[in-house]
Amino acid sequence: MRGMYICLCNAVTDHDIRRAAADGVRSFAELQARTGCSDCCGCCEAEARATLNEAMTQVALDLPILVAA
């Protein structure tokens, strides 16, 4: 499963963002550095931040994060 594209410019999916959170990303700046998300036009920033925040909450609550293999 590929996931929903959040950043079309850099082909970053919601699964990419969730995987980054599971791997320790804890800020939007870290997410940008790791994935390139929102580095071009910035239209995806709000959705990317929301997805990252949701994923970090799941990590903090020790809930499983669903990511494609």
Side-chain angles (χ1 to χ4, degrees), residues 38-59:
S38 195
D39 277 350
C40 289
C41 73
C43 290
C44 64
E45 183 174 346
E47 186 64 28
R49 283 183 184 275
T51 303
L52 178 60
N53 288 337
E54 178 184 297
M56 288 189 312
T57 298
Q58 288 178 310
V59 168

mmCIF file with all atom_site columns, all heavy atoms in Angstrom, residues 38-59:
data_model
loop_
_atom_site.group_PDB
_atom_site.id
_atom_site.type_symbol
_atom_site.label_atom_id
_atom_site.label_alt_id
_atom_site.label_comp_id
_atom_site.label_asym_id
_atom_site.label_entity_id
_atom_site.label_seq_id
_atom_site.pdbx_PDB_ins_code
_atom_site.Cartn_x
_atom_site.Cartn_y
_atom_site.Cartn_z
_atom_site.occupancy
_atom_site.B_iso_or_equiv
_atom_site.pdbx_formal_charge
_atom_site.auth_seq_id
_atom_site.auth_comp_id
_atom_site.auth_asym_id
_atom_site.auth_atom_id
_atom_site.pdbx_PDB_model_num
ATOM 1   N N   . SER A 1 38 ? 7.393  19.651 1.934  1.00 0.00 ? 38 SER A N   1
ATOM 2   C CA  . SER A 1 38 ? 7.093  21.079 2.037  1.00 0.00 ? 38 SER A CA  1
ATOM 3   C C   . SER A 1 38 ? 8.300  21.976 1.764  1.00 0.00 ? 38 SER A C   1
ATOM 4   O O   . SER A 1 38 ? 8.352  23.102 2.218  1.00 0.00 ? 38 SER A O   1
ATOM 5   C CB  . SER A 1 38 ? 6.469  21.408 3.399  1.00 0.00 ? 38 SER A CB  1
ATOM 6   O OG  . SER A 1 38 ? 5.877  22.676 3.371  1.00 0.00 ? 38 SER A OG  1
ATOM 7   N N   . ASP A 1 39 ? 9.285  21.475 1.018  1.00 0.00 ? 39 ASP A N   1
ATOM 8   C CA  . ASP A 1 39 ? 10.460 22.279 0.674  1.00 0.00 ? 39 ASP A CA  1
ATOM 9   C C   . ASP A 1 39 ? 10.283 23.096 -0.596 1.00 0.00 ? 39 ASP A C   1
ATOM 10  O O   . ASP A 1 39 ? 11.098 23.961 -0.877 1.00 0.00 ? 39 ASP A O   1
ATOM 11  C CB  . ASP A 1 39 ? 11.695 21.375 0.502  1.00 0.00 ? 39 ASP A CB  1
ATOM 12  C CG  . ASP A 1 39 ? 12.355 21.040 1.815  1.00 0.00 ? 39 ASP A CG  1
ATOM 13  O OD1 . ASP A 1 39 ? 11.992 21.646 2.829  1.00 0.00 ? 39 ASP A OD1 1
ATOM 14  O OD2 . ASP A 1 39 ? 13.239 20.163 1.818  1.00 0.00 ? 39 ASP A OD2 1
ATOM 15  N N   . CYS A 1 40 ? 9.248  22.809 -1.366 1.00 0.00 ? 40 CYS A N   1
ATOM 16  C CA  . CYS A 1 40 ? 9.058  23.523 -2.632 1.00 0.00 ? 40 CYS A CA  1
ATOM 17  C C   . CYS A 1 40 ? 8.003  24.615 -2.494 1.00 0.00 ? 40 CYS A C   1
ATOM 18  O O   . CYS A 1 40 ? 8.303  25.714 -2.091 1.00 0.00 ? 40 CYS A O   1
ATOM 19  C CB  . CYS A 1 40 ? 8.683  22.543 -3.743 1.00 0.00 ? 40 CYS A CB  1
ATOM 20  S SG  . CYS A 1 40 ? 10.059 21.491 -4.247 1.00 0.00 ? 40 CYS A SG  1
ATOM 21  N N   . CYS A 1 41 ? 6.770  24.278 -2.802 1.00 0.00 ? 41 CYS A N   1
ATOM 22  C CA  . CYS A 1 41 ? 5.713  25.291 -2.830 1.00 0.00 ? 41 CYS A CA  1
ATOM 23  C C   . CYS A 1 41 ? 5.093  25.560 -1.462 1.00 0.00 ? 41 CYS A C   1
ATOM 24  O O   . CYS A 1 41 ? 4.530  26.622 -1.228 1.00 0.00 ? 41 CYS A O   1
ATOM 25  C CB  . CYS A 1 41 ? 4.628  24.908 -3.831 1.00 0.00 ? 41 CYS A CB  1
ATOM 26  S SG  . CYS A 1 41 ? 3.562  23.555 -3.298 1.00 0.00 ? 41 CYS A SG  1
ATOM 27  N N   . GLY A 1 42 ? 5.173  24.593 -0.546 1.00 0.00 ? 42 GLY A N   1
ATOM 28  C CA  . GLY A 1 42 ? 4.648  24.786 0.799  1.00 0.00 ? 42 GLY A CA  1
ATOM 29  C C   . GLY A 1 42 ? 3.158  24.554 0.956  1.00 0.00 ? 42 GLY A C   1
ATOM 30  O O   . GLY A 1 42 ? 2.628  24.685 2.056  1.00 0.00 ? 42 GLY A O   1
ATOM 31  N N   . CYS A 1 43 ? 2.468  24.194 -0.108 1.00 0.00 ? 43 CYS A N   1
ATOM 32  C CA  . CYS A 1 43 ? 1.013  23.983 -0.033 1.00 0.00 ? 43 CYS A CA  1
ATOM 33  C C   . CYS A 1 43 ? 0.633  22.853 0.916  1.00 0.00 ? 43 CYS A C   1
ATOM 34  O O   . CYS A 1 43 ? -0.473 22.847 1.452  1.00 0.00 ? 43 CYS A O   1
ATOM 35  C CB  . CYS A 1 43 ? 0.446  23.696 -1.418 1.00 0.00 ? 43 CYS A CB  1
ATOM 36  S SG  . CYS A 1 43 ? 0.451  25.124 -2.502 1.00 0.00 ? 43 CYS A SG  1
ATOM 37  N N   . CYS A 1 44 ? 1.520  21.937 1.149  1.00 0.00 ? 44 CYS A N   1
ATOM 38  C CA  . CYS A 1 44 ? 1.215  20.760 1.957  1.00 0.00 ? 44 CYS A CA  1
ATOM 39  C C   . CYS A 1 44 ? 1.553  20.937 3.430  1.00 0.00 ? 44 CYS A C   1
ATOM 40  O O   . CYS A 1 44 ? 1.308  20.034 4.234  1.00 0.00 ? 44 CYS A O   1
ATOM 41  C CB  . CYS A 1 44 ? 1.968  19.554 1.417  1.00 0.00 ? 44 CYS A CB  1
ATOM 42  S SG  . CYS A 1 44 ? 3.763  19.740 1.537  1.00 0.00 ? 44 CYS A SG  1
ATOM 43  N N   . GLU A 1 45 ? 2.102  22.063 3.808  1.00 0.00 ? 45 GLU A N   1
ATOM 44  C CA  . GLU A 1 45 ? 2.622  22.214 5.167  1.00 0.00 ? 45 GLU A CA  1
ATOM 45  C C   . GLU A 1 45 ? 1.592  21.895 6.250  1.00 0.00 ? 45 GLU A C   1
ATOM 46  O O   . GLU A 1 45 ? 1.890  21.162 7.194  1.00 0.00 ? 45 GLU A O   1
ATOM 47  C CB  . GLU A 1 45 ? 3.183  23.610 5.397  1.00 0.00 ? 45 GLU A CB  1
ATOM 48  C CG  . GLU A 1 45 ? 3.795  23.749 6.775  1.00 0.00 ? 45 GLU A CG  1
ATOM 49  C CD  . GLU A 1 45 ? 4.498  25.066 7.008  1.00 0.00 ? 45 GLU A CD  1
ATOM 50  O OE1 . GLU A 1 45 ? 4.761  25.807 6.043  1.00 0.00 ? 45 GLU A OE1 1
ATOM 51  O OE2 . GLU A 1 45 ? 4.781  25.350 8.180  1.00 0.00 ? 45 GLU A OE2 1
ATOM 52  N N   . ALA A 1 46 ? 0.396  22.430 6.140  1.00 0.00 ? 46 ALA A N   1
ATOM 53  C CA  . ALA A 1 46 ? -0.620 22.204 7.184  1.00 0.00 ? 46 ALA A CA  1
ATOM 54  C C   . ALA A 1 46 ? -0.951 20.722 7.322  1.00 0.00 ? 46 ALA A C   1
ATOM 55  O O   . ALA A 1 46 ? -1.003 20.188 8.444  1.00 0.00 ? 46 ALA A O   1
ATOM 56  C CB  . ALA A 1 46 ? -1.877 23.002 6.885  1.00 0.00 ? 46 ALA A CB  1
ATOM 57  N N   . GLU A 1 47 ? -1.149 20.041 6.205  1.00 0.00 ? 47 GLU A N   1
ATOM 58  C CA  . GLU A 1 47 ? -1.481 18.607 6.250  1.00 0.00 ? 47 GLU A CA  1
ATOM 59  C C   . GLU A 1 47 ? -0.289 17.784 6.743  1.00 0.00 ? 47 GLU A C   1
ATOM 60  O O   . GLU A 1 47 ? -0.455 16.833 7.501  1.00 0.00 ? 47 GLU A O   1
ATOM 61  C CB  . GLU A 1 47 ? -1.925 18.117 4.872  1.00 0.00 ? 47 GLU A CB  1
ATOM 62  C CG  . GLU A 1 47 ? -2.428 16.694 4.859  1.00 0.00 ? 47 GLU A CG  1
ATOM 63  C CD  . GLU A 1 47 ? -3.695 16.482 5.678  1.00 0.00 ? 47 GLU A CD  1
ATOM 64  O OE1 . GLU A 1 47 ? -4.497 17.423 5.830  1.00 0.00 ? 47 GLU A OE1 1
ATOM 65  O OE2 . GLU A 1 47 ? -3.898 15.351 6.157  1.00 0.00 ? 47 GLU A OE2 1
ATOM 66  N N   . ALA A 1 48 ? 0.908  18.152 6.327  1.00 0.00 ? 48 ALA A N   1
ATOM 67  C CA  . ALA A 1 48 ? 2.102  17.440 6.775  1.00 0.00 ? 48 ALA A CA  1
ATOM 68  C C   . ALA A 1 48 ? 2.302  17.602 8.282  1.00 0.00 ? 48 ALA A C   1
ATOM 69  O O   . ALA A 1 48 ? 2.602  16.635 8.986  1.00 0.00 ? 48 ALA A O   1
ATOM 70  C CB  . ALA A 1 48 ? 3.328  17.944 6.020  1.00 0.00 ? 48 ALA A CB  1
ATOM 71  N N   . ARG A 1 49 ? 2.114  18.814 8.783  1.00 0.00 ? 49 ARG A N   1
ATOM 72  C CA  . ARG A 1 49 ? 2.238  19.049 10.227 1.00 0.00 ? 49 ARG A CA  1
ATOM 73  C C   . ARG A 1 49 ? 1.194  18.245 11.002 1.00 0.00 ? 49 ARG A C   1
ATOM 74  O O   . ARG A 1 49 ? 1.504  17.646 12.035 1.00 0.00 ? 49 ARG A O   1
ATOM 75  C CB  . ARG A 1 49 ? 2.090  20.531 10.541 1.00 0.00 ? 49 ARG A CB  1
ATOM 76  C CG  . ARG A 1 49 ? 3.312  21.361 10.220 1.00 0.00 ? 49 ARG A CG  1
ATOM 77  C CD  . ARG A 1 49 ? 3.100  22.820 10.627 1.00 0.00 ? 49 ARG A CD  1
ATOM 78  N NE  . ARG A 1 49 ? 4.214  23.647 10.255 1.00 0.00 ? 49 ARG A NE  1
ATOM 79  C CZ  . ARG A 1 49 ? 5.309  23.807 10.995 1.00 0.00 ? 49 ARG A CZ  1
ATOM 80  N NH1 . ARG A 1 49 ? 5.434  23.173 12.145 1.00 0.00 ? 49 ARG A NH1 1
ATOM 81  N NH2 . ARG A 1 49 ? 6.274  24.603 10.580 1.00 0.00 ? 49 ARG A NH2 1
ATOM 82  N N   . ALA A 1 50 ? -0.036 18.240 10.506 1.00 0.00 ? 50 ALA A N   1
ATOM 83  C CA  . ALA A 1 50 ? -1.109 17.500 11.177 1.00 0.00 ? 50 ALA A CA  1
ATOM 84  C C   . ALA A 1 50 ? -0.802 16.005 11.196 1.00 0.00 ? 50 ALA A C   1
ATOM 85  O O   . ALA A 1 50 ? -0.993 15.328 12.220 1.00 0.00 ? 50 ALA A O   1
ATOM 86  C CB  . ALA A 1 50 ? -2.446 17.768 10.498 1.00 0.00 ? 50 ALA A CB  1
ATOM 87  N N   . THR A 1 51 ? -0.320 15.477 10.087 1.00 0.00 ? 51 THR A N   1
ATOM 88  C CA  . THR A 1 51 ? 0.012  14.054 10.009 1.00 0.00 ? 51 THR A CA  1
ATOM 89  C C   . THR A 1 51 ? 1.168  13.723 10.944 1.00 0.00 ? 51 THR A C   1
ATOM 90  O O   . THR A 1 51 ? 1.136  12.707 11.652 1.00 0.00 ? 51 THR A O   1
ATOM 91  C CB  . THR A 1 51 ? 0.355  13.660 8.557  1.00 0.00 ? 51 THR A CB  1
ATOM 92  O OG1 . THR A 1 51 ? -0.757 13.989 7.713  1.00 0.00 ? 51 THR A OG1 1
ATOM 93  C CG2 . THR A 1 51 ? 0.655  12.174 8.431  1.00 0.00 ? 51 THR A CG2 1
ATOM 94  N N   . LEU A 1 52 ? 2.184  14.580 10.984 1.00 0.00 ? 52 LEU A N   1
ATOM 95  C CA  . LEU A 1 52 ? 3.310  14.357 11.884 1.00 0.00 ? 52 LEU A CA  1
ATOM 96  C C   . LEU A 1 52 ? 2.854  14.410 13.347 1.00 0.00 ? 52 LEU A C   1
ATOM 97  O O   . LEU A 1 52 ? 3.222  13.553 14.144 1.00 0.00 ? 52 LEU A O   1
ATOM 98  C CB  . LEU A 1 52 ? 4.408  15.388 11.635 1.00 0.00 ? 52 LEU A CB  1
ATOM 99  C CG  . LEU A 1 52 ? 5.632  15.289 12.552 1.00 0.00 ? 52 LEU A CG  1
ATOM 100 C CD1 . LEU A 1 52 ? 6.324  13.932 12.417 1.00 0.00 ? 52 LEU A CD1 1
ATOM 101 C CD2 . LEU A 1 52 ? 6.599  16.425 12.256 1.00 0.00 ? 52 LEU A CD2 1
ATOM 102 N N   . ASN A 1 53 ? 2.046  15.394 13.681 1.00 0.00 ? 53 ASN A N   1
ATOM 103 C CA  . ASN A 1 53 ? 1.554  15.501 15.062 1.00 0.00 ? 53 ASN A CA  1
ATOM 104 C C   . ASN A 1 53 ? 0.751  14.274 15.465 1.00 0.00 ? 53 ASN A C   1
ATOM 105 O O   . ASN A 1 53 ? 0.896  13.760 16.577 1.00 0.00 ? 53 ASN A O   1
ATOM 106 C CB  . ASN A 1 53 ? 0.726  16.770 15.242 1.00 0.00 ? 53 ASN A CB  1
ATOM 107 C CG  . ASN A 1 53 ? 1.577  18.015 15.243 1.00 0.00 ? 53 ASN A CG  1
ATOM 108 O OD1 . ASN A 1 53 ? 2.768  17.966 15.521 1.00 0.00 ? 53 ASN A OD1 1
ATOM 109 N ND2 . ASN A 1 53 ? 0.975  19.144 14.910 1.00 0.00 ? 53 ASN A ND2 1
ATOM 110 N N   . GLU A 1 54 ? -0.093 13.798 14.574 1.00 0.00 ? 54 GLU A N   1
ATOM 111 C CA  . GLU A 1 54 ? -0.885 12.593 14.849 1.00 0.00 ? 54 GLU A CA  1
ATOM 112 C C   . GLU A 1 54 ? 0.035  11.393 15.069 1.00 0.00 ? 54 GLU A C   1
ATOM 113 O O   . GLU A 1 54 ? -0.149 10.608 15.998 1.00 0.00 ? 54 GLU A O   1
ATOM 114 C CB  . GLU A 1 54 ? -1.839 12.332 13.688 1.00 0.00 ? 54 GLU A CB  1
ATOM 115 C CG  . GLU A 1 54 ? -2.673 11.095 13.842 1.00 0.00 ? 54 GLU A CG  1
ATOM 116 C CD  . GLU A 1 54 ? -3.515 10.853 12.599 1.00 0.00 ? 54 GLU A CD  1
ATOM 117 O OE1 . GLU A 1 54 ? -4.370 11.695 12.299 1.00 0.00 ? 54 GLU A OE1 1
ATOM 118 O OE2 . GLU A 1 54 ? -3.286 9.826  11.932 1.00 0.00 ? 54 GLU A OE2 1
ATOM 119 N N   . ALA A 1 55 ? 1.033  11.265 14.213 1.00 0.00 ? 55 ALA A N   1
ATOM 120 C CA  . ALA A 1 55 ? 1.963  10.136 14.322 1.00 0.00 ? 55 ALA A CA  1
ATOM 121 C C   . ALA A 1 55 ? 2.785  10.225 15.600 1.00 0.00 ? 55 ALA A C   1
ATOM 122 O O   . ALA A 1 55 ? 3.020  9.209  16.268 1.00 0.00 ? 55 ALA A O   1
ATOM 123 C CB  . ALA A 1 55 ? 2.880  10.095 13.105 1.00 0.00 ? 55 ALA A CB  1
ATOM 124 N N   . MET A 1 56 ? 3.216  11.430 15.980 1.00 0.00 ? 56 MET A N   1
ATOM 125 C CA  . MET A 1 56 ? 3.985  11.586 17.216 1.00 0.00 ? 56 MET A CA  1
ATOM 126 C C   . MET A 1 56 ? 3.126  11.261 18.435 1.00 0.00 ? 56 MET A C   1
ATOM 127 O O   . MET A 1 56 ? 3.619  10.702 19.415 1.00 0.00 ? 56 MET A O   1
ATOM 128 C CB  . MET A 1 56 ? 4.562  12.994 17.325 1.00 0.00 ? 56 MET A CB  1
ATOM 129 C CG  . MET A 1 56 ? 5.707  13.231 16.364 1.00 0.00 ? 56 MET A CG  1
ATOM 130 S SD  . MET A 1 56 ? 6.603  14.789 16.629 1.00 0.00 ? 56 MET A SD  1
ATOM 131 C CE  . MET A 1 56 ? 5.305  15.984 16.753 1.00 0.00 ? 56 MET A CE  1
ATOM 132 N N   . THR A 1 57 ? 1.836  11.585 18.377 1.00 0.00 ? 57 THR A N   1
ATOM 133 C CA  . THR A 1 57 ? 0.922  11.232 19.463 1.00 0.00 ? 57 THR A CA  1
ATOM 134 C C   . THR A 1 57 ? 0.821  9.721  19.587 1.00 0.00 ? 57 THR A C   1
ATOM 135 O O   . THR A 1 57 ? 0.854  9.174  20.688 1.00 0.00 ? 57 THR A O   1
ATOM 136 C CB  . THR A 1 57 ? -0.468 11.848 19.230 1.00 0.00 ? 57 THR A CB  1
ATOM 137 O OG1 . THR A 1 57 ? -0.334 13.272 19.213 1.00 0.00 ? 57 THR A OG1 1
ATOM 138 C CG2 . THR A 1 57 ? -1.450 11.437 20.308 1.00 0.00 ? 57 THR A CG2 1
ATOM 139 N N   . GLN A 1 58 ? 0.730  9.038  18.452 1.00 0.00 ? 58 GLN A N   1
ATOM 140 C CA  . GLN A 1 58 ? 0.676  7.578  18.477 1.00 0.00 ? 58 GLN A CA  1
ATOM 141 C C   . GLN A 1 58 ? 1.947  6.997  19.078 1.00 0.00 ? 58 GLN A C   1
ATOM 142 O O   . GLN A 1 58 ? 1.896  6.046  19.855 1.00 0.00 ? 58 GLN A O   1
ATOM 143 C CB  . GLN A 1 58 ? 0.466  7.030  17.063 1.00 0.00 ? 58 GLN A CB  1
ATOM 144 C CG  . GLN A 1 58 ? -0.926 7.261  16.550 1.00 0.00 ? 58 GLN A CG  1
ATOM 145 C CD  . GLN A 1 58 ? -1.089 6.757  15.129 1.00 0.00 ? 58 GLN A CD  1
ATOM 146 O OE1 . GLN A 1 58 ? -0.280 7.078  14.260 1.00 0.00 ? 58 GLN A OE1 1
ATOM 147 N NE2 . GLN A 1 58 ? -2.113 5.963  14.904 1.00 0.00 ? 58 GLN A NE2 1
ATOM 148 N N   . VAL A 1 59 ? 3.093  7.583  18.742 1.00 0.00 ? 59 VAL A N   1
ATOM 149 C CA  . VAL A 1 59 ? 4.366  7.117  19.292 1.00 0.00 ? 59 VAL A CA  1
ATOM 150 C C   . VAL A 1 59 ? 4.379  7.336  20.803 1.00 0.00 ? 59 VAL A C   1
ATOM 151 O O   . VAL A 1 59 ? 4.759  6.448  21.566 1.00 0.00 ? 59 VAL A O   1
ATOM 152 C CB  . VAL A 1 59 ? 5.560  7.838  18.622 1.00 0.00 ? 59 VAL A CB  1
ATOM 153 C CG1 . VAL A 1 59 ? 6.848  7.585  19.387 1.00 0.00 ? 59 VAL A CG1 1
ATOM 154 C CG2 . VAL A 1 59 ? 5.705  7.395  17.178 1.00 0.00 ? 59 VAL A CG2 1
#
